[in-house]
Structure formats: C-alpha cells, structure tokens
Amino acid sequence: MTETTTSEQFSVVSTTRRGAIARWRQVLIPTTRDTPADATTASHTLLVRAGFIRQVGAGVYNYLPLAHRSIAKITAIIREEMDRAGAAEMFMPVLTPVELFAASKRDQDYGDLLFRVEDRHGRVSALGPTHEELITDLLKNCISSYKQLPLTLYQIQTKFRDEFRPRSALLRGREFLMKDAYSFHTAIEGEGGLKQTYDVIYDAYTRIFQRLGLDFSAVEAESGPIGGSASHEFMVNADSGEDTILVDRAAGYAANVEKCEIGERSHDLTGAPTDDLEKVHTPNLPGIDGVAEHLGVSAADMLKCVVFEPKDDAAREAIGHDWVLAVVRGDHEANEGKVRDLAGGAVVLGDEKRARAAGFAIGYVSPCTAESVSGTLLLIDPDAAQPGPASSGWVTGADEPDHHVKHFTWSRELGDTARGNARVGDIRNAVAGDPSPRSDGTLDTQRGIEVGHIFKLGTKYSAAMGLVAMDKDQKREPVIMGCYGLGVSRTLAACVEMSHDDSGIVWTPAIAPYHVEIVLMKPDDAEQAEACDRIAGRLADAGVDVLIDDRPERPGVKFNDADLIGLPVRLTIGGRSLADGNVEFKRRSDEGKGEPVALDGVVDAVLAALADKG
Ligand code: ATP
Ligand code: MG
C-alpha cells in the first residue's frame, strides 16, 4: 500500500543532456515575505513566497519560470512512464462541443462545474474538464474492429472546472494541468483486455510517484460497473489533504471512505425492551446532534433512518421494492454504494416530496415505516441492529414532525413480518476503530491529497455515444474503456506539502527547478565570478542544472531566499574560502552552515548528494 522512495534506480541528472545555467537576475523569481491572505496550506504560501506562482483570479495562476521548470520535469517523468506503458501521446482541444457532454449526460453530472462559452454564432462549447466524450467521439471514426485494439492514448493539457471553492492555489484550481489517458478494448479479461492495461498503468503511476519522491498510498476507490476494485486513487500522505482514507497498515489495505469495507460485526435484534416506548417533543432541532443534546443522549444512542429509492425502473425490478430504508447508528453515515449492494440494485436518496406523500415523515422517520409504508425494504447496519443502550434505549424518529421516541426496541416495535423482511449488513461509511476487513486488527484514518485516479469505465461512454467495434465473432459490441487521470499541477503542490520546513521548500532533486544554487557573494569580484562560471560549467557538463544568485544583495537575503526556493544543494563562493581553494557546500535538507569542499571535488560532491537524495 504505502510506497516509499526507491529512487536509487532512477538518475535525476541527465547523462546525455547538458545541464542548464541560469542567472537569478535573468529569471523572474519575485520572492516575497508576504503570505497570501487566503493561504491555509504550506504549498500555497511557499509557492507564492518563493516566486513560483502568482494569482490571476480565483483558482487561476501564473506559473513563473521556476514552477514552469518543475512542471516540465514532472511531465518528462510522466511521459517516460506512460510511453513505457505503451500509451501514445496526443493533444485534444479545450473547446468541446457541449452536445458531446449531453450525449453522456455529464453536462448534468458535472452541473455548474462545467465551464461553458458561447461563440459569435451562438454555439456553446464546454471547456474540457476531462476528455472521455471527445476521445470516444474521435475513435468512432477511427476504429471498427478488434484488430485495432487495444489502444491507449494520453495527453497533458490544461483542464477547466468551475470549482465552487477553489482553494490552496494549485491543489484545487479552476484551471489546472492534468495528464489524462484513455484505453480501449474488446474484452475485460485476458491478453489485451482492460484489466491488463489497467494493471500496467497502475504500475506506471507507482513508478511516476516514486520517481517524484512522494510518500503515497494507492487506495481502493469506488467500485463501478465492472465490479471488484474498479478504481484506485493515488493519494499523497499529507495531513493537509482534503481526503480521508482508511488503512490497515499491517495488512497493506487502504481504501477511501466511500469504498472501505468493514470487517465482520455481529448483531442481535432480539434484545428485551429497556422501558416503555416514550414519545418526546423535539421542536425545531436541526439534525441528530441537536436532538441528542436536547435529550441528553449521544448520537451513538440514536437510530438514523435514511430513505432511498431505486434509481430507475430496472433497479426497481432488481430490488423488488419501491423504497429502501437504511438504518444506521446516529453517529454513522449511510453509504449509497453499500446500500446499493445490499439492496441488489442502484439507489438514490428518496425524492423528498414523493417520500412524504408515501408516508415518510422526513427528518423524523423511524424503522417502523418499513411496516407502515408498503413496498419498503429494510436494511440495518450491524451496529444499529443491537439492543439499545440501557439508559435511554434507542432514540429514533416518532414518524411525525417535531417528535422522537425513546426506548425503541427492535423485538417489540417491529412485527415479525417487517423484521423478517429486514437485511442486516454493512451499509455505512467506515470510521477509525472499525474492524479491518483484511485482518484481526482495526482500521485507522489518515489524510491524503488525491494526485491520480484510474478507473475501469466499462462501456459507459462507448454505449452512450455509439463507439462499437467488431469482435472476433463478427459481432458489433460497445468498446470497453478505462480512463486514467493524473493532476500535474496538484502534484507539484503535493510535493511541497510533503517536503518543506519553516524556512521554505525542500525540493526532491527529481523535480527541483534547478539542482544547485550558487550563491555568489560578490558578483562584481572578477576572481569569484570566474570561479563561479568554471564550477557552473563543469556542473552543467555533468548534467546538473545550476542557478547562480548574482544579485547585488546582502548575504542574509540571498541565504534566506536560497532556503525559501529550496534547491537541493547550495554552493557559496566567497572571498576567504576561495582563497583557500574551497567553496562552501550545503544540502538544503541539512541543518547548519555547510562545509568547505575543494574546487576540484565540487562536481563529485554535488552528484553524490543528488544521487543520495534521489
Ligand atoms: P477531487 O475529488 O479532488 O475534486 P476529482 O476526483 O474530481 O478530484 P478526477 O476527475 O479524478 O478528479 O481528475 C483526475 C485528477 O485531476 C485528480 O486525481 C486530481 O489530481 C486532478 N484534479 C482534479 N480536480 C482538480 C482541481 N480542481 N485542481 C487541480 N487538480 C485537480
Ligand atoms: Mg477522482
């Protein structure tokens, strides 16, 4: 699950390309002490302060030369690994006819996230949030037979999403860089099938994030139409991440909240009543917590009843009921995917108006509606299928507005028919402390930043948009697809989240904009300038990228900026040490002042430091 850097196997300096030499004054590096007012994360603050990015508008940024160089290094690694995985690079337009999104219904699914622009002729285009539609449409005219498959295509391009709350600069932008890839197959299993390509891309992602020096987890995400683990998210382990993942480290299991299974839990619907059923007035109380506080109980003493309905007619037929009532403990959240699996068909949250008309007092529903509203399937989570807590019994809705009941008892309140109709099973989101599905241990939570997401799509787009190919039996079947996203600009920010200190960024050599910063103490001293050029030239010959701070600034300013922009190695050329034939050598990750290194030994020392840190 958790992959750590094993980058010894990858060289971060090029053995065939000469390194770059740049001078600070010729590169735009507007470092600043000012922290953006809305910055809540280290990457936002540090990328701005170190002169990598500047905001243009909400979720829209300029990438200045340093950021541009790091991005170029990230994309070079991505290209190498995608090419190695057998994918071919292409480039699609940003402007996508909005009709294509109507065909897949994603114009609705994306809703306001989709940027729309109207041209002078009144034609509406979407600014691509991803490109499943465009590429599916493209391939309709390019392939017709299984003989042309499998095929994997990718691009690296700017994506647009009108995020409601753009935040943390590059972590969640409205305009951002993504590598998106799509694969096409005639089979799921076997040679050339979707699963084979999926596994190859999974490995490519693992190599990419290892080479970037990231501490990450590959996490099982939502299951889709293919079943099993239809999708994985690649999460950088960082406390500032928006996503919560559940892990059983010992068993090597990691999953996101939506997908995470929970180990075996026992249940018992036979417990005796704790007291007489007691109706209590709970007026105008918002949510479970308000009611619990009012009644002096905890949310875990309550039963939460969530009303679902079949997603469509096919699901209604599969489920065999008009309503699905999911009962979980008050401190838990019902999980739609798990409700679907236990009910046997796709569900959506019940339409409030229709549910009320059917007899559900929304906000005050009790498990008894499984009996009183006909056509209702009752699903109970094991933690809710227990005798109630001794003091209050279960507290739940009273099936009428502004009222709840205490001492709800499964064995007393629900007739045998309703209880017989009930299914007990996992229908809620996992939480820390739950039994692990893979060992005798428990699940733990950790925060992550989603930098990649790979997905076995199946025929969702091809069936909707008519991309078919002749199979071996001469039958025209919808093409089976996979899609593979990787957030390039978010990855840059995630690297900073993972690797920084109080003074600034600490770049991993693989994506540092330059490998070495030479701090030239006196730029107009001919001897120092000459030594600097000589060292820079030799480093560049060895494939090392060099930035020379040639500004006429005080040493303190230059050292602070060197720490802030965070290049892996700092070399200081100054009068006294130069007279001794030395320069001062310091790794960014080391504390303290640095140590003298003889001029002749500089290249070796730099190469050793870069190889060591990977
Ligand atoms: P999120 O859940 O964070 O909104 P998503 O699941 O909608 O992301 P995908 O559609 O899976 O995103 O896109 C693939 C990748 O693109 C993500 O894994 C992420 O790295 C990146 N990405 C998505 N949205 C943004 C954004 N607004 N800014 C920067 N990167 C993004
Ligand atoms: Mg995603």
Side-chain angles (χ1 to χ4, degrees), residues 537-582:
R538 278 199 245 138
L539 286 168
D541 286 343
V544 175
D545 296 329
V546 184
L547 175 68
I548 301 169
D549 188 349
D550 58 348
R551 293 175 299 168
E553 291 282 357
R554 281 179 291 115
V557 172
K558 291 186 175 185
F559 289 142
N560 283 344
D561 276 354
D563 280 349
L564 185 57
I565 71 169
L567 305 188
V569 174
R570 187 186 81 193
L571 298 175
T572 307
I573 299 185
R576 210 172 315 140
S577 59
L578 194 58
D580 295 339
N582 292 329

mmCIF file of all heavy atoms in Angstrom, residues 537-582:
data_model
loop_
_atom_site.group_PDB
_atom_site.id
_atom_site.type_symbol
_atom_site.label_atom_id
_atom_site.label_comp_id
_atom_site.label_asym_id
_atom_site.label_seq_id
_atom_site.Cartn_x
_atom_site.Cartn_y
_atom_site.Cartn_z
ATOM 1 N N GLY A 537 29.983 25.669 -15.196
ATOM 2 C CA GLY A 537 30.228 24.987 -16.466
ATOM 3 C C GLY A 537 30.477 23.506 -16.271
ATOM 4 O O GLY A 537 29.928 22.661 -16.985
ATOM 5 N N ARG A 538 31.280 23.192 -15.248
ATOM 6 C CA ARG A 538 31.579 21.771 -15.021
ATOM 7 C C ARG A 538 30.342 21.008 -14.550
ATOM 8 O O ARG A 538 30.123 19.864 -14.941
ATOM 9 C CB ARG A 538 32.694 21.639 -13.980
ATOM 10 C CG ARG A 538 34.071 21.822 -14.608
ATOM 11 C CD ARG A 538 35.130 21.245 -13.692
ATOM 12 N NE ARG A 538 35.999 22.286 -13.190
ATOM 13 C CZ ARG A 538 36.430 22.382 -11.931
ATOM 14 N NH1 ARG A 538 36.039 21.507 -11.029
ATOM 15 N NH2 ARG A 538 37.226 23.349 -11.568
ATOM 16 N N LEU A 539 29.544 21.664 -13.710
ATOM 17 C CA LEU A 539 28.308 21.006 -13.251
ATOM 18 C C LEU A 539 27.375 20.770 -14.436
ATOM 19 O O LEU A 539 26.794 19.695 -14.590
ATOM 20 C CB LEU A 539 27.609 21.867 -12.190
ATOM 21 C CG LEU A 539 28.265 21.875 -10.809
ATOM 22 C CD1 LEU A 539 27.660 22.973 -9.926
ATOM 23 C CD2 LEU A 539 28.087 20.505 -10.140
ATOM 24 N N ALA A 540 27.239 21.778 -15.279
ATOM 25 C CA ALA A 540 26.345 21.633 -16.437
ATOM 26 C C ALA A 540 26.822 20.507 -17.343
ATOM 27 O O ALA A 540 26.020 19.724 -17.854
ATOM 28 C CB ALA A 540 26.260 22.952 -17.200
ATOM 29 N N ASP A 541 28.129 20.407 -17.513
ATOM 30 C CA ASP A 541 28.667 19.309 -18.333
ATOM 31 C C ASP A 541 28.270 17.954 -17.753
ATOM 32 O O ASP A 541 28.124 16.971 -18.476
ATOM 33 C CB ASP A 541 30.201 19.387 -18.388
ATOM 34 C CG ASP A 541 30.671 20.528 -19.291
ATOM 35 O OD1 ASP A 541 29.852 21.012 -20.102
ATOM 36 O OD2 ASP A 541 31.848 20.939 -19.161
ATOM 37 N N ALA A 542 28.130 17.912 -16.429
ATOM 38 C CA ALA A 542 27.758 16.645 -15.779
ATOM 39 C C ALA A 542 26.234 16.466 -15.734
ATOM 40 O O ALA A 542 25.728 15.557 -15.080
ATOM 41 C CB ALA A 542 28.329 16.614 -14.364
ATOM 42 N N GLY A 543 25.489 17.355 -16.410
ATOM 43 C CA GLY A 543 24.029 17.202 -16.478
ATOM 44 C C GLY A 543 23.286 17.899 -15.363
ATOM 45 O O GLY A 543 22.068 17.748 -15.223
ATOM 46 N N VAL A 544 23.998 18.685 -14.553
ATOM 47 C CA VAL A 544 23.372 19.341 -13.394
ATOM 48 C C VAL A 544 22.847 20.723 -13.793
ATOM 49 O O VAL A 544 23.528 21.469 -14.501
ATOM 50 C CB VAL A 544 24.405 19.482 -12.248
ATOM 51 C CG1 VAL A 544 23.819 20.269 -11.081
ATOM 52 C CG2 VAL A 544 24.861 18.100 -11.794
ATOM 53 N N ASP A 545 21.615 21.055 -13.352
ATOM 54 C CA ASP A 545 21.029 22.370 -13.630
ATOM 55 C C ASP A 545 21.427 23.343 -12.522
ATOM 56 O O ASP A 545 21.252 23.054 -11.335
ATOM 57 C CB ASP A 545 19.503 22.273 -13.686
ATOM 58 C CG ASP A 545 19.025 21.383 -14.835
ATOM 59 O OD1 ASP A 545 19.725 21.329 -15.863
ATOM 60 O OD2 ASP A 545 17.962 20.748 -14.683
ATOM 61 N N VAL A 546 21.926 24.506 -12.929
ATOM 62 C CA VAL A 546 22.517 25.439 -11.970
ATOM 63 C C VAL A 546 21.839 26.805 -12.042
ATOM 64 O O VAL A 546 21.611 27.344 -13.132
ATOM 65 C CB VAL A 546 24.020 25.636 -12.277
ATOM 66 C CG1 VAL A 546 24.661 26.527 -11.217
ATOM 67 C CG2 VAL A 546 24.738 24.299 -12.361
ATOM 68 N N LEU A 547 21.530 27.333 -10.874
ATOM 69 C CA LEU A 547 21.026 28.709 -10.786
ATOM 70 C C LEU A 547 22.057 29.520 -10.003
ATOM 71 O O LEU A 547 22.451 29.139 -8.898
ATOM 72 C CB LEU A 547 19.678 28.730 -10.049
ATOM 73 C CG LEU A 547 19.095 30.118 -9.777
ATOM 74 C CD1 LEU A 547 18.664 30.801 -11.075
ATOM 75 C CD2 LEU A 547 17.891 30.018 -8.819
ATOM 76 N N ILE A 548 22.505 30.621 -10.593
ATOM 77 C CA ILE A 548 23.513 31.457 -9.930
ATOM 78 C C ILE A 548 22.829 32.694 -9.362
ATOM 79 O O ILE A 548 22.186 33.445 -10.110
ATOM 80 C CB ILE A 548 24.603 31.891 -10.938
ATOM 81 C CG1 ILE A 548 25.276 30.652 -11.552
ATOM 82 C CG2 ILE A 548 25.620 32.809 -10.268
ATOM 83 C CD1 ILE A 548 26.174 30.969 -12.732
ATOM 84 N N ASP A 549 22.926 32.865 -8.044
ATOM 85 C CA ASP A 549 22.367 34.090 -7.470
ATOM 86 C C ASP A 549 23.415 35.197 -7.604
ATOM 87 O O ASP A 549 24.346 35.305 -6.815
ATOM 88 C CB ASP A 549 21.970 33.879 -6.002
ATOM 89 C CG ASP A 549 21.198 35.093 -5.465
ATOM 90 O OD1 ASP A 549 21.178 36.131 -6.163
ATOM 91 O OD2 ASP A 549 20.608 34.993 -4.368
ATOM 92 N N ASP A 550 23.228 35.992 -8.635
ATOM 93 C CA ASP A 550 24.206 37.034 -8.974
ATOM 94 C C ASP A 550 23.688 38.417 -8.563
ATOM 95 O O ASP A 550 24.133 39.431 -9.077
ATOM 96 C CB ASP A 550 24.486 37.016 -10.481
ATOM 97 C CG ASP A 550 23.200 37.231 -11.294
ATOM 98 O OD1 ASP A 550 22.089 37.155 -10.716
ATOM 99 O OD2 ASP A 550 23.298 37.492 -12.511
ATOM 100 N N ARG A 551 22.715 38.442 -7.648
ATOM 101 C CA ARG A 551 22.142 39.744 -7.284
ATOM 102 C C ARG A 551 23.079 40.508 -6.342
ATOM 103 O O ARG A 551 23.728 39.902 -5.480
ATOM 104 C CB ARG A 551 20.796 39.541 -6.577
ATOM 105 C CG ARG A 551 19.717 38.983 -7.481
ATOM 106 C CD ARG A 551 18.459 38.704 -6.695
ATOM 107 N NE ARG A 551 18.699 37.707 -5.638
ATOM 108 C CZ ARG A 551 17.844 37.438 -4.657
ATOM 109 N NH1 ARG A 551 16.703 38.092 -4.583
ATOM 110 N NH2 ARG A 551 18.134 36.523 -3.752
ATOM 111 N N PRO A 552 23.105 41.814 -6.466
ATOM 112 C CA PRO A 552 23.908 42.611 -5.544
ATOM 113 C C PRO A 552 23.166 42.805 -4.227
ATOM 114 O O PRO A 552 22.821 43.923 -3.858
ATOM 115 C CB PRO A 552 24.079 43.937 -6.301
ATOM 116 C CG PRO A 552 22.860 44.042 -7.159
ATOM 117 C CD PRO A 552 22.420 42.645 -7.479
ATOM 118 N N GLU A 553 22.870 41.686 -3.554
ATOM 119 C CA GLU A 553 22.102 41.737 -2.301
ATOM 120 C C GLU A 553 23.007 41.345 -1.137
ATOM 121 O O GLU A 553 24.049 40.739 -1.325
ATOM 122 C CB GLU A 553 20.935 40.741 -2.349
ATOM 123 C CG GLU A 553 19.833 41.089 -3.326
ATOM 124 C CD GLU A 553 18.903 42.167 -2.790
ATOM 125 O OE1 GLU A 553 19.084 42.596 -1.623
ATOM 126 O OE2 GLU A 553 18.006 42.591 -3.543
ATOM 127 N N ARG A 554 22.527 41.632 0.081
ATOM 128 C CA ARG A 554 23.267 41.211 1.267
ATOM 129 C C ARG A 554 23.253 39.682 1.357
ATOM 130 O O ARG A 554 22.273 39.052 0.936
ATOM 131 C CB ARG A 554 22.624 41.789 2.532
ATOM 132 C CG ARG A 554 22.981 43.262 2.773
ATOM 133 C CD ARG A 554 22.302 43.770 4.017
ATOM 134 N NE ARG A 554 20.857 43.880 3.833
ATOM 135 C CZ ARG A 554 19.961 43.155 4.484
ATOM 136 N NH1 ARG A 554 20.328 42.250 5.357
ATOM 137 N NH2 ARG A 554 18.676 43.335 4.266
ATOM 138 N N PRO A 555 24.321 39.086 1.932
ATOM 139 C CA PRO A 555 24.359 37.617 2.038
ATOM 140 C C PRO A 555 23.124 37.060 2.743
ATOM 141 O O PRO A 555 22.582 36.037 2.316
ATOM 142 C CB PRO A 555 25.619 37.358 2.864
ATOM 143 C CG PRO A 555 26.475 38.547 2.650
ATOM 144 C CD PRO A 555 25.562 39.720 2.426
ATOM 145 N N GLY A 556 22.655 37.728 3.800
ATOM 146 C CA GLY A 556 21.499 37.215 4.546
ATOM 147 C C GLY A 556 20.276 37.061 3.660
ATOM 148 O O GLY A 556 19.540 36.065 3.737
ATOM 149 N N VAL A 557 20.060 38.043 2.801
ATOM 150 C CA VAL A 557 18.911 37.991 1.888
ATOM 151 C C VAL A 557 19.056 36.805 0.945
ATOM 152 O O VAL A 557 18.113 36.039 0.700
ATOM 153 C CB VAL A 557 18.819 39.310 1.082
ATOM 154 C CG1 VAL A 557 17.768 39.205 -0.013
ATOM 155 C CG2 VAL A 557 18.537 40.480 2.015
ATOM 156 N N LYS A 558 20.257 36.636 0.439
ATOM 157 C CA LYS A 558 20.474 35.545 -0.524
ATOM 158 C C LYS A 558 20.314 34.169 0.137
ATOM 159 O O LYS A 558 19.717 33.261 -0.436
ATOM 160 C CB LYS A 558 21.877 35.660 -1.129
ATOM 161 C CG LYS A 558 22.040 36.854 -2.048
ATOM 162 C CD LYS A 558 23.411 36.775 -2.679
ATOM 163 C CE LYS A 558 23.603 37.860 -3.709
ATOM 164 N NZ LYS A 558 24.876 37.722 -4.404
ATOM 165 N N PHE A 559 20.841 34.031 1.357
ATOM 166 C CA PHE A 559 20.713 32.735 2.040
ATOM 167 C C PHE A 559 19.255 32.433 2.370
ATOM 168 O O PHE A 559 18.794 31.305 2.218
ATOM 169 C CB PHE A 559 21.571 32.702 3.313
ATOM 170 C CG PHE A 559 23.050 32.656 3.028
ATOM 171 C CD1 PHE A 559 23.944 33.349 3.810
ATOM 172 C CD2 PHE A 559 23.531 31.902 1.970
ATOM 173 C CE1 PHE A 559 25.310 33.294 3.544
ATOM 174 C CE2 PHE A 559 24.897 31.845 1.690
ATOM 175 C CZ PHE A 559 25.791 32.556 2.480
ATOM 176 N N ASN A 560 18.539 33.453 2.809
ATOM 177 C CA ASN A 560 17.115 33.238 3.100
ATOM 178 C C ASN A 560 16.354 32.813 1.852
ATOM 179 O O ASN A 560 15.520 31.902 1.883
ATOM 180 C CB ASN A 560 16.474 34.506 3.667
ATOM 181 C CG ASN A 560 16.836 34.708 5.123
ATOM 182 O OD1 ASN A 560 17.297 33.780 5.785
ATOM 183 N ND2 ASN A 560 16.644 35.920 5.624
ATOM 184 N N ASP A 561 16.635 33.487 0.748
ATOM 185 C CA ASP A 561 15.956 33.134 -0.496
ATOM 186 C C ASP A 561 16.359 31.739 -0.971
ATOM 187 O O ASP A 561 15.539 31.003 -1.538
ATOM 188 C CB ASP A 561 16.265 34.170 -1.582
ATOM 189 C CG ASP A 561 15.322 35.385 -1.487
ATOM 190 O OD1 ASP A 561 14.384 35.336 -0.665
ATOM 191 O OD2 ASP A 561 15.529 36.358 -2.238
ATOM 192 N N ALA A 562 17.622 31.379 -0.730
ATOM 193 C CA ALA A 562 18.074 30.038 -1.137
ATOM 194 C C ALA A 562 17.276 28.976 -0.375
ATOM 195 O O ALA A 562 16.821 27.984 -0.950
ATOM 196 C CB ALA A 562 19.570 29.879 -0.877
ATOM 197 N N ASP A 563 17.079 29.219 0.925
ATOM 198 C CA ASP A 563 16.276 28.272 1.701
ATOM 199 C C ASP A 563 14.829 28.265 1.216
ATOM 200 O O ASP A 563 14.176 27.222 1.148
ATOM 201 C CB ASP A 563 16.315 28.639 3.189
ATOM 202 C CG ASP A 563 17.602 28.160 3.849
ATOM 203 O OD1 ASP A 563 18.333 27.371 3.211
ATOM 204 O OD2 ASP A 563 17.863 28.574 4.996
ATOM 205 N N LEU A 564 14.329 29.451 0.902
ATOM 206 C CA LEU A 564 12.922 29.574 0.501
ATOM 207 C C LEU A 564 12.649 28.819 -0.801
ATOM 208 O O LEU A 564 11.704 28.037 -0.884
ATOM 209 C CB LEU A 564 12.592 31.063 0.347
ATOM 210 C CG LEU A 564 11.146 31.437 0.054
ATOM 211 C CD1 LEU A 564 10.210 30.896 1.132
ATOM 212 C CD2 LEU A 564 11.015 32.970 -0.045
ATOM 213 N N ILE A 565 13.476 29.025 -1.827
ATOM 214 C CA ILE A 565 13.189 28.341 -3.105
ATOM 215 C C ILE A 565 13.616 26.878 -3.046
ATOM 216 O O ILE A 565 13.146 26.072 -3.828
ATOM 217 C CB ILE A 565 13.784 29.059 -4.337
ATOM 218 C CG1 ILE A 565 15.300 28.945 -4.376
ATOM 219 C CG2 ILE A 565 13.345 30.518 -4.403
ATOM 220 C CD1 ILE A 565 15.890 29.409 -5.716
ATOM 221 N N GLY A 566 14.507 26.534 -2.116
ATOM 222 C CA GLY A 566 14.687 25.138 -1.733
ATOM 223 C C GLY A 566 15.391 24.210 -2.690
ATOM 224 O O GLY A 566 15.094 23.013 -2.727
ATOM 225 N N LEU A 567 16.344 24.717 -3.488
ATOM 226 C CA LEU A 567 17.089 23.800 -4.371
ATOM 227 C C LEU A 567 17.904 22.828 -3.521
ATOM 228 O O LEU A 567 18.347 23.177 -2.423
ATOM 229 C CB LEU A 567 17.997 24.594 -5.310
ATOM 230 C CG LEU A 567 17.303 25.669 -6.164
ATOM 231 C CD1 LEU A 567 18.287 26.249 -7.181
ATOM 232 C CD2 LEU A 567 16.087 25.095 -6.889
ATOM 233 N N PRO A 568 18.133 21.600 -4.018
ATOM 234 C CA PRO A 568 18.747 20.550 -3.180
ATOM 235 C C PRO A 568 20.132 20.887 -2.641
ATOM 236 O O PRO A 568 20.472 20.503 -1.532
ATOM 237 C CB PRO A 568 18.797 19.342 -4.105
ATOM 238 C CG PRO A 568 17.718 19.580 -5.107
ATOM 239 C CD PRO A 568 17.636 21.057 -5.307
ATOM 240 N N VAL A 569 20.957 21.589 -3.429
ATOM 241 C CA VAL A 569 22.324 21.879 -2.967
ATOM 242 C C VAL A 569 22.614 23.376 -3.115
ATOM 243 O O VAL A 569 22.262 23.983 -4.130
ATOM 244 C CB VAL A 569 23.371 21.082 -3.787
ATOM 245 C CG1 VAL A 569 24.787 21.506 -3.380
ATOM 246 C CG2 VAL A 569 23.184 19.577 -3.594
ATOM 247 N N ARG A 570 23.267 23.945 -2.090
ATOM 248 C CA ARG A 570 23.703 25.345 -2.176
ATOM 249 C C ARG A 570 25.221 25.378 -2.126
ATOM 250 O O ARG A 570 25.843 24.770 -1.246
ATOM 251 C CB ARG A 570 23.130 26.127 -0.995
ATOM 252 C CG ARG A 570 23.369 27.625 -1.079
ATOM 253 C CD ARG A 570 22.905 28.296 0.197
ATOM 254 N NE ARG A 570 23.930 28.175 1.244
ATOM 255 C CZ ARG A 570 23.698 28.448 2.536
ATOM 256 N NH1 ARG A 570 22.506 28.823 2.956
ATOM 257 N NH2 ARG A 570 24.676 28.335 3.405
ATOM 258 N N LEU A 571 25.818 26.092 -3.067
ATOM 259 C CA LEU A 571 27.267 26.300 -3.058
ATOM 260 C C LEU A 571 27.501 27.794 -2.853
ATOM 261 O O LEU A 571 26.898 28.605 -3.557
ATOM 262 C CB LEU A 571 27.884 25.879 -4.389
ATOM 263 C CG LEU A 571 27.740 24.408 -4.801
ATOM 264 C CD1 LEU A 571 28.295 24.207 -6.211
ATOM 265 C CD2 LEU A 571 28.477 23.511 -3.810
ATOM 266 N N THR A 572 28.342 28.140 -1.902
ATOM 267 C CA THR A 572 28.613 29.552 -1.678
ATOM 268 C C THR A 572 30.049 29.856 -2.090
ATOM 269 O O THR A 572 30.985 29.178 -1.641
ATOM 270 C CB THR A 572 28.404 29.900 -0.198
ATOM 271 O OG1 THR A 572 27.099 29.465 0.181
ATOM 272 C CG2 THR A 572 28.504 31.412 0.020
ATOM 273 N N ILE A 573 30.195 30.841 -2.957
ATOM 274 C CA ILE A 573 31.527 31.247 -3.392
ATOM 275 C C ILE A 573 31.823 32.596 -2.759
ATOM 276 O O ILE A 573 31.137 33.584 -3.043
ATOM 277 C CB ILE A 573 31.605 31.329 -4.927
ATOM 278 C CG1 ILE A 573 31.316 29.942 -5.522
ATOM 279 C CG2 ILE A 573 32.971 31.857 -5.365
ATOM 280 C CD1 ILE A 573 31.465 29.851 -7.010
ATOM 281 N N GLY A 574 32.820 32.644 -1.866
ATOM 282 C CA GLY A 574 33.151 33.874 -1.153
ATOM 283 C C GLY A 574 34.657 34.027 -1.051
ATOM 284 O O GLY A 574 35.409 33.064 -1.255
ATOM 285 N N GLY A 575 35.080 35.234 -0.722
ATOM 286 C CA GLY A 575 36.496 35.590 -0.733
ATOM 287 C C GLY A 575 37.378 34.652 0.067
ATOM 288 O O GLY A 575 38.310 34.044 -0.461
ATOM 289 N N ARG A 576 37.059 34.448 1.365
ATOM 290 C CA ARG A 576 38.003 33.748 2.221
ATOM 291 C C ARG A 576 38.156 32.282 1.813
ATOM 292 O O ARG A 576 39.251 31.781 1.638
ATOM 293 C CB ARG A 576 37.578 33.869 3.685
ATOM 294 C CG ARG A 576 38.779 33.829 4.614
ATOM 295 C CD ARG A 576 38.382 34.153 6.050
ATOM 296 N NE ARG A 576 37.498 35.296 6.195
ATOM 297 C CZ ARG A 576 36.480 35.335 7.064
ATOM 298 N NH1 ARG A 576 36.205 34.291 7.810
ATOM 299 N NH2 ARG A 576 35.734 36.409 7.177
ATOM 300 N N SER A 577 37.015 31.590 1.627
ATOM 301 C CA SER A 577 37.138 30.167 1.312
ATOM 302 C C SER A 577 37.748 29.976 -0.081
ATOM 303 O O SER A 577 38.505 29.037 -0.319
ATOM 304 C CB SER A 577 35.794 29.457 1.424
ATOM 305 O OG SER A 577 34.857 30.021 0.564
ATOM 306 N N LEU A 578 37.463 30.895 -0.982
ATOM 307 C CA LEU A 578 38.018 30.778 -2.328
ATOM 308 C C LEU A 578 39.548 30.898 -2.285
ATOM 309 O O LEU A 578 40.259 30.186 -3.002
ATOM 310 C CB LEU A 578 37.420 31.863 -3.238
ATOM 311 C CG LEU A 578 37.646 31.676 -4.740
ATOM 312 C CD1 LEU A 578 37.089 30.341 -5.223
ATOM 313 C CD2 LEU A 578 37.014 32.820 -5.530
ATOM 314 N N ALA A 579 40.009 31.786 -1.412
ATOM 315 C CA ALA A 579 41.462 31.948 -1.267
ATOM 316 C C ALA A 579 42.102 30.635 -0.826
ATOM 317 O O ALA A 579 43.235 30.313 -1.193
ATOM 318 C CB ALA A 579 41.763 33.057 -0.262
ATOM 319 N N ASP A 580 41.323 29.828 -0.060
ATOM 320 C CA ASP A 580 41.829 28.518 0.365
ATOM 321 C C ASP A 580 41.562 27.434 -0.678
ATOM 322 O O ASP A 580 41.779 26.248 -0.422
ATOM 323 C CB ASP A 580 41.145 28.085 1.679
ATOM 324 C CG ASP A 580 41.504 29.005 2.834
ATOM 325 O OD1 ASP A 580 42.546 29.690 2.727
ATOM 326 O OD2 ASP A 580 40.732 29.039 3.816
ATOM 327 N N GLY A 581 40.990 27.810 -1.803
ATOM 328 C CA GLY A 581 40.693 26.828 -2.849
ATOM 329 C C GLY A 581 39.414 26.044 -2.591
ATOM 330 O O GLY A 581 39.235 24.941 -3.095
ATOM 331 N N ASN A 582 38.498 26.621 -1.805
ATOM 332 C CA ASN A 582 37.270 25.900 -1.439
ATOM 333 C C ASN A 582 36.012 26.683 -1.814
ATOM 334 O O ASN A 582 36.048 27.893 -2.019
ATOM 335 C CB ASN A 582 37.220 25.685 0.080
ATOM 336 C CG ASN A 582 38.291 24.728 0.549
ATOM 337 O OD1 ASN A 582 38.690 23.823 -0.181
ATOM 338 N ND2 ASN A 582 38.778 24.948 1.764
#
